[in-house]
């Protein structure tokens, strides 16, 4: 059993603790929720447990399909053990249909099809509100090497395909999602989390939103939306 000690980091929704083994960290999923770069804050009761279950099951599925991740194992309802990584300060967003910030930027209607997946990079910086950047910015700022970015891009598209198929099994469309990658043992691994906090997930029949947009846009029934994804995963035998 891993013994946990000091708090290393506290974000808007997660706490990260040191483990006895310095190569590991424990991530605790809280019910705290934030959006719009922390300007909107709230609590979604039970969200931490739901996200921990969803995220750990997804990371196990990805590992089984050859994606190297930081995930080690789920410890209990709220906590998971992960490898300690050096986070690359670039958020990767993959989009399968138009939503969110893409709408205003490109004048698209919500749900409009995209002929191929779109990949976007954002510079992780609270002070600058995570501005969108391109590959030459990543290179020029020395955020990642060209080889690292090639690997990240290829892995992101593969994760997108795996996740689309995964959610399709439970009648859910993966509209878009965000990922982070980190350096670990001389390689690059998928880090952070994948959950209704970081994905747009729509019911494939009704288009109902089952993700954080319910919180962002005050659509109500936020707790139920997260529970619904977990319930469908349980029914589909996708929770480990
Ligand atoms: O807001 P935007 O349309 O750019 O978000 C794209 C995707 O990235 C959405 O699935 C959103 O939930 C996710 N995202 C995130 N964390 C952020 C920004 C966006 O998980 N800080």
């Amino acid at each position: 059993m891993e013994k946990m000690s000091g708090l290393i980091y506290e974000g808007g929704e997660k706490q990260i603790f040191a483990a006895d083994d310095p190569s590991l960290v424990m991530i605790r999923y809280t019910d705290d929720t934030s959006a719009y770069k922390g300007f909107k804050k709230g609590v979604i009761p039970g969200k931490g447990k739901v996200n921990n279950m969803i995220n750990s099951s997804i990371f196990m599925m990805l590992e089984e399909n050859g994606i190297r991740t930081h995930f080690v194992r789920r410890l209990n309802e709220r906590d998971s053990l992960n490898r300690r990584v050096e986070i690359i300060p670039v958020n990767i967003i993959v989009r399968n249909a138009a939503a969110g910030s893409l709408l205003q930027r490109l004048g698209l209607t919500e749900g409009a099809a995209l002929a191929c997946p779109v990949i976007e990079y954002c510079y992780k910086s609270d002070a600058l509100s995570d501005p969108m950047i391109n590959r030459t910015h990543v290179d020029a700022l020395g955020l990642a090497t060209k080889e690292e970015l090639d690997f990240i891009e290829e892995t992101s598209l593969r994760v997108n395909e795996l996740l689309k198929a995964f959610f399709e099994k439970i009648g859910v469309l993966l509209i878009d999602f965000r990922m982070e990658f980190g350096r670990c043992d001389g390689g690059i691994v998928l880090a952070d989390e994948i959950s209704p906090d970081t994905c747009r997930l729509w019911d494939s029949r009704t288009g109902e939103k089952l993700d954080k947009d319910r919180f962002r846009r005050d659509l109500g029934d936020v707790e139920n939306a997260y529970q619904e994804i977990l319930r469908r995963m349980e029914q589909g035998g996708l929770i480990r």
Side-chain angles (χ1 to χ4, degrees):
M1 182 66 191
E2 271 299 322
K3 269 202 358 242
M4 303 305 152
S5 40
L7 184 67
I8 300 174
Y9 169 85
E10 182 148 31
E13 338 211 70
K14 287 192 284 265
Q15 294 169 323
I16 303 182
F17 295 88
D20 267 0
D21 178 340
S23 70
L24 300 175
V25 292
M26 185 192 82
I27 297 186
R28 173 160 298 158
Y29 293 83
T30 71
D31 294 346
D32 296 340
T33 306
S34 73
Y36 305 121
K37 321 295 178 200
F39 284 106
K40 185 176 169 92
K41 287 189 198 302
V43 171
I44 303 175
K47 185 192 77 157
K49 292 180 185 174
V50 171
N51 277 0
N52 188 34
M53 293 301 283
I54 293 175
N55 175 71
S56 51
S57 300
I58 287 177
F59 270 67
M60 283 185 241
M61 178 278 291
L62 293 173
E63 285 277 354
E64 281 167 15
N65 284 279
I67 306 292
R68 289 185 63 219
T69 79
H70 70 157
F71 181 77
V72 177
R73 66 176 186 275
R74 191 169 59 231
L75 294 171
N76 55 50
E77 281 187 318
R78 279 193 188 270
D79 305 323
S80 281
L81 196 64
N82 294 279
R83 293 200 277 161
R84 192 188 278 256
V85 303
E86 178 202 344
I87 288 287
I88 295 174
V90 179
N91 285 337
I92 318 292
I93 293 171
V94 179
R95 300 179 187 272
N96 296 304
S101 65
L102 195 67
L103 303 181
Q104 274 211 322
R105 195 167 351 115
L106 298 185
L108 297 171
T109 49
E110 191 176 50
L114 299 168
C116 66
V118 168
I119 300 195
E120 291 170 5
Y121 303 99
C122 295
Y123 179 31
K124 263 172 73 77
S125 160
D126 288 340
L128 301 173
S129 297
D130 299 350
M132 196 165 101
I133 54 176
N134 65 34
R135 286 188 61 131
T136 62
H137 292 110
V138 175
D139 208 8
L141 297 182
L143 304 177
T145 66
K146 187 177 173 311
E147 291 69 31
E148 285 177 328
L149 211 52
D150 284 345
F151 178 80
I152 287 171
E153 197 164 303
E154 194 183 305
T155 307
S156 299
L157 289 173
R158 173 97 181 106
V159 170
N160 183 45
E161 290 310 314
L162 291 166
L163 281 184
K164 270 201 301 186
F166 181 87
F167 283 117
E168 216 174 272
K169 288 186 195 151
I170 58 167
V172 167
L173 289 175
L174 176 65
I175 301 298
D176 57 32
F177 67 111
R178 187 213 63 191
M179 280 165 284
E180 291 183 21
F181 289 85
R183 299 185 183 96
C184 181
D185 295 336
I188 303 265
V189 298
L190 178 66
D192 198 44
E193 79 176 274
I194 295 180
S195 73
D197 270 354
T198 64
C199 301
R200 285 199 173 90
L201 303 169
W202 294 2
D203 181 279
S204 45
R205 208 170 39 82
T206 64
E208 186 190 4
K209 294 174 175 40
L210 299 171
D211 57 59
K212 197 179 185 176
D213 268 353
R214 300 205 74 83
F215 169 77
R216 291 189 187 101
R217 295 162 62 175
D218 295 321
L219 300 177
D221 254 355
V222 185
E223 216 177 309
N224 279 342
Y226 284 69
Q227 295 281 355
E228 177 64 13
I229 295 293
L230 178 62
R231 195 183 59 76
R232 291 189 194 191
M233 284 173 63
E234 278 166 351
Q235 280 180 351
L238 299 175
I239 288 290
R240 322 291 193 80

